[in-house]
Amino acid sequence: SKNSLHPSQLMMAAKEELYTKVTPRRQRQNRTGTVKHGSSLDVLLSMGFPKTRALKALVSTGGRNVQAACDWLFSHVDDPFLDDPLPREYVLYLRPSGPLLHQLSTFWQQSRVTCGKNKAHNIFPHITLCQFFMCADGKVEALSEALQATVGSWRGRFPNPLPLELYTSSNFIGLFVEEQVAEVLKDFAADFATEAATKADVHVEPHKKQLHVTLAYHFQANHLAALEKLAKGVDVSLGCDWLAVLFSRDIRFANHETLRVMYPYVPQNEDELELAPGDFIFMTPVEQSSASEGWVYGTSLGTGLPGLLPENYVRRADECDTWVFHGSHSFSNPASPSNAGGAVGGLLFDGQLDGRFLDDPGDPSSLTVLCPPVQMLSPTTQSCLPKRSLFVCRHGERMDVVFGKHWITQCFDAKGRYVRSNLNMPSSLPTRSGGFRDYDKDCPITVFGSTQARLVGEALLESHAVIDFVYCSPSLRCVQTAHNILRGLQQEGKTKIRIEPGLFEWTKWVSGTSLPAWIPPTDMAAASLSVDTTYRPHIPISKLGVSESYDTYISRSLQVTREILTECKNLGNTVLIVAHASSLEACTRQMQGLSPQNAKDFVQVVRKIPYLGFCAAEEMGETGVWQLVDPPILPLTHGPNHSFNWRETLQQD
């Protein structure tokens, strides 16, 4: 009976019942292929949805089809603003296509790799024709018709090609439209404003500033020369069919920071959000002030619900990632562009699109890439490994941090025999040729540190990752971590750990006047650690100096990482480096073509990396340049567990 069904089953049953009411007749289309809201609206109304909700669903999904609107309505059933008549904000852009678009996409990708992300990357390449303006849901179809009519009246007199001139300043690089031609474009925008006021009763304010395509904005001063050089490589004389494109955004979140959900999360408390990969979260500093450290307070795009969520389950997204596409029109080919709308997510530029922009807006399949629907992907489906991958991981929880330096005197007697005094201490330790005092500078990991490492290995196994090579710092804590990762991967004994002294942390951080007396690989193998005793290091211990400079450490890390990747090329796809917190930054930053940070900023980054902090990078083709990507595993978070003495706590007078 229905009373015995789970709420989610009831929801699915209701959806199936409603979908059966949808008449399989062909929906009415206009001559550009647009699904008219009228026919879709009639179907939704016949299914029992209130008109305001039906219109909001159609507009929020770009008018793609009835099923997309139904899915939106069911996912927003608890949205507190579902019946709010608040209109959306719209904007009209000119978007390049064809050869010029390929040039710009190449610049976008190269600039991001060379100098990192700047504010220009928040929105795809475009020329702004008007300010954002509001339009009621019931007027959106008329607004689209106004744009179509205006473009139609301008065919044959739209300036083509547009003369573009490179302009550079200390914090801006762009392509400006020649002034006379810019005035013609502003006339087009004014005509659209008039048509929109007549047909849709909306007020559109044409853009009055200089018209341009922004290439780079708000970047670091030391990146100016590199960005300018790349910008000069853009051939503005190439052909281009400029498209008039209409987008909208939710006005409530116009000034919010946009975050992309990377991992699923099941709420533990009533005030927490359920997270599905592929969804987006809107967050403001005001909302964030009510959240505790490590948590974010925001609103889900997929459900409209607000709540708390773990900060390390999301990452920053681009501003336009949540915009809705409402159609594009060509000035030269009336039959080419489609007006069919699209849903949210990854509109024009995204790492998942390999940095490519659409080159054929007339291809219906292109619009699917242009505005793909929000897909709730599992971590497994997201973690398809590229041709060559580099993983860098910090070691597990270390003994001297948990128990203090005095752990050695607590656990070793006068004869050097080891006895643990806490369950989180390992039951046994390798014998050292220099005596147990060598543990002072080269401590082991705790039992929980071993568990942390095994969990990471098990997660890699679940993601179908196969580690071809493992390189490791000579520190015992790193070797033990790598060994336990291989245990979790079920590759213990199959894959040997290559101990590489060049991966040791910045030697300035070592106390005293000498480096640690590390356990030799042969002794580690004798202690049942999966170590390759035949491996010859790229940088031997003799080449490491005490209190090396920051520049020396950064150069050393880059050199050894490059040599490791060269050594493994054509022999395996995936390399795992297990080393120190500093390694995640030092072994990957320059591999991306980025300049090293200064020592102060570097230290701040390192302090934020926890035990088993994990990052991943992929090689971009055969360029030798790598880019950071999402790891194939979830993050590992845990809380502190303080020492407990029952006598002191429970047996008080």
Side-chain angles (χ1 to χ4, degrees):
S1 68
K2 283 192 174 182
N3 293 335
S4 63
L5 292 177
H6 188 272
S8 62
Q9 293 173 306
L10 284 171
M11 178 72 75
M12 289 303 298
K15 288 177 69 174
E16 291 176 7
E17 184 177 344
L18 283 172
Y19 283 143
T20 60
K21 297 180 181 179
V22 180
T23 307
R25 66 182 181 271
R26 184 177 179 85
Q27 292 181 320
R28 178 165 58 95
Q29 297 185 342
N30 66 12
R31 60 193 177 93
T32 58
T34 305
V35 176
K36 302 287 279 185
H37 282 193
S39 59
S40 298
L41 179 61
D42 290 341
V43 174
L44 291 172
L45 294 178
S46 70
M47 295 167 69
F49 291 111
K51 186 175 182 178
T52 53
R53 291 190 178 187
L55 281 170
K56 179 170 286 193
L58 287 169
V59 170
S60 298
T61 56
R64 280 186 299 134
N65 51 51
V66 173
Q67 182 170 341
C70 284
D71 289 341
W72 187 94
L73 284 164
F74 279 112
S75 65
H76 284 259
V77 67
D78 295 320
D79 185 345
F81 289 91
L82 182 59
D83 296 310
D84 194 316
L86 196 65
R88 294 179 67 85
E89 280 191 320
Y90 292 77
V91 68
L92 178 63
Y93 287 153
L94 283 181
R95 185 178 71 82
S97 66
L100 179 59
L101 180 60
H102 281 289
Q103 291 272 315
L104 292 173
S105 66
T106 300
F107 171 83
W108 234 255
Q109 185 173 3
Q110 290 177 341
S111 63
R112 203 163 188 169
V113 169
T114 304
C115 302
K117 183 178 176 181
N118 62 68
K119 285 196 173 182
H121 291 112
N122 286 334
I123 305 177
F124 45 84
H126 67 279
I127 295 175
T128 303
L129 292 181
C130 68
Q131 308 299 322
F132 273 94
F133 60 92
M134 291 185 290
C135 179
D137 292 345
K139 301 286 188 179
V140 173
E141 187 173 348
L143 179 66
S144 297
E145 291 174 352
L147 177 58
Q148 181 181 338
T150 308
V151 172
S153 68
W154 271 77
R155 288 199 178 100
R157 57 193 182 106
F158 185 86
N160 193 11
L162 290 183
L164 300 172
E165 183 179 355
L166 181 64
Y167 172 82
T168 303
S169 69
S170 59
N171 66 350
F172 175 88
I173 300 176
L175 300 173
F176 277 77
V177 182
E178 190 271 326
E179 189 172 350
Q180 265 189 322
V181 176
E183 292 303 316
V184 177
L185 299 185
K186 290 178 182 179
D187 288 342
F188 164 76
D191 284 357
F192 167 68
T194 301
E195 194 75 16
T198 302
K199 281 187 164 62
D201 192 26
V202 298
H203 175 70
V204 178
E205 185 69 31
H207 197 60
K208 295 179 180 178
K209 297 181 180 179
Q210 289 180 292
L211 301 186
H212 62 274
V213 179
T214 301
L215 297 181
Y217 173 61
H218 209 276
F219 46 81
Q220 295 181 27
N222 61 330
H223 291 158
L224 175 60
L227 289 171
E228 188 174 19
K229 182 179 179 181
L230 289 173
K232 288 179 179 178
V234 177
D235 186 353
V236 296
S237 66
L238 292 175
C240 176
D241 180 14
W242 290 89
L243 307 173
V245 189
L246 190 65
F247 288 95
S248 74
R249 67 185 183 188
D250 192 322
I251 191 173
R252 293 174 298 157
F253 308 119
N255 297 314
H256 286 51
E257 183 176 355
T258 306
L259 307 170
R260 186 193 297 269
V261 176
M262 305 310 302
Y263 309 105
Y265 178 75
V266 178
Q268 307 297 312
N269 298 289
E270 289 185 359
D271 59 351
E272 296 175 5
L273 270 179
E274 182 174 2
L275 301 182
D279 193 7
F280 292 88
I281 303 295
F282 298 110
M283 186 270 289
T284 66
V286 175
E287 292 171 329
Q288 182 60 13
S289 62
S290 63
S292 57
E293 185 177 356
W295 288 79
V296 168
Y297 187 91
T299 302
S300 163
L301 172 69
T303 65
L305 295 173
L308 291 165
L309 57 137
E311 186 176 14
N312 55 359
Y313 279 57
V314 293
R315 72 171 185 183
R316 288 185 180 179
D318 293 336
E319 180 182 343
C320 67
D321 281 352
T322 59
W323 291 1
V324 174
F325 169 71
H326 294 276
S328 63
H329 299 268
S330 169
F331 289 92
S332 59
N333 186 359
S336 177
S338 171
N339 228 21
V344 294
L347 295 178
L348 280 170
F349 181 87
D350 189 272
Q352 295 178 346
L353 303 181
D354 299 324
R356 292 190 297 269
F357 298 100
L358 297 177
D359 57 357
D360 184 7
D363 179 3
S365 64
S366 296
L367 289 170
T368 305
V369 181
L370 177 67
C371 296
V374 174
Q375 297 178 357
M376 302 309 179
L377 300 177
S378 68
T380 301
T381 57
Q382 284 185 322
S383 60
C384 299
L385 295 179
K387 185 176 179 181
R388 294 191 73 202
S389 296
L390 170 66
F391 299 152
V392 186
C393 182
R394 187 192 177 191
H395 58 75
E397 181 182 81
R398 48 190 290 176
M399 284 273 281
D400 55 355
V401 171
V402 177
F403 300 105
K405 290 289 185 181
H406 59 279
W407 77 270
I408 296 177
T409 55
Q410 278 185 346
C411 297
F412 287 94
D413 61 19
K415 296 183 179 180
R417 291 174 296 194
Y418 169 78
V419 179
R420 68 176 179 175
S421 59
N422 189 285
L423 287 177
N424 196 25
M425 293 178 172
S427 56
S428 62
L429 289 176
T431 302
R432 308 189 75 129
S433 58
F436 67 87
R437 281 294 172 185
D438 283 349
Y439 279 115
D440 185 48
K441 286 188 177 183
D442 186 30
C443 71
I445 57 175
T446 62
V447 172
F448 187 63
S450 299
T451 304
Q452 289 172 315
R454 193 185 72 251
L455 286 172
V456 167
E458 290 172 353
L460 287 169
L461 180 64
E462 289 174 6
S463 73
H464 307 293
V466 176
I467 305 299
D468 298 298
F469 297 98
V470 179
Y471 289 80
C472 190
S473 161
S475 295
L476 176 61
R477 58 188 180 274
C478 298
V479 179
Q480 289 177 321
T481 300
H483 176 81
N484 282 282
I485 289 176
L486 289 172
R487 283 183 61 193
L489 268 166
Q490 298 180 15
Q491 290 182 228
E492 181 184 4
K494 301 176 185 176
T495 304
K496 296 291 187 179
I497 301 166
R498 297 177 171 182
I499 297 178
E500 175 54 63
L503 292 172
F504 184 59
E505 65 186 348
W506 189 5
T507 62
K508 178 184 176 181
W509 291 337
V510 178
S511 61
T513 57
S514 62
L515 294 174
W518 291 299
I519 301 176
T522 50
D523 291 356
M524 287 194 178
S528 300
L529 293 170
S530 303
V531 171
D532 183 353
T533 57
T534 65
Y535 174 69
R536 300 184 66 178
H538 292 279
I539 299 179
I541 295 175
S542 59
K543 297 293 184 181
L544 297 180
V546 182
S547 298
E548 66 186 339
S549 68
Y550 173 67
D551 289 342
T552 301
Y553 169 64
I554 292 298
S555 298
R556 164 166 64 88
S557 299
L558 175 62
Q559 175 192 340
V560 73
T561 305
R562 279 180 172 167
E563 291 180 3
I564 285 172
L565 293 172
T566 300
E567 181 176 49
C568 299
K569 191 170 185 178
N570 300 323
L571 299 175
N573 294 333
T574 310
V575 174
L576 169 65
I577 289 176
V578 181
H580 308 270
S582 56
S583 306
L584 275 73
E585 169 79 359
C587 292
T588 64
R589 183 173 178 84
Q590 292 180 91
M591 296 299 294
Q592 302 171 72
L594 303 177
S595 302
Q597 299 196 76
N598 60 54
K600 183 178 179 181
D601 291 341
F602 172 79
V603 171
Q604 293 304 314
V605 170
V606 172
R607 285 176 176 172
K608 297 177 182 178
I609 297 174
Y611 293 127
L612 270 298
F614 193 102
C615 71
E618 323 175 332
E619 186 179 26
M620 300 177 63
E622 296 292 328
T623 62
V625 177
W626 294 65
Q627 63 178 357
L628 288 179
V629 297
D630 294 317
I633 62 173
L634 297 173
L636 175 64
T637 306
H638 58 85
N641 196 49
H642 302 293
S643 178
F644 172 67
N645 186 309
W646 68 273
R647 293 182 185 276
E648 295 177 358
T649 306
L650 304 179
Q651 211 174 46
Q652 296 180 350
D653 295 333

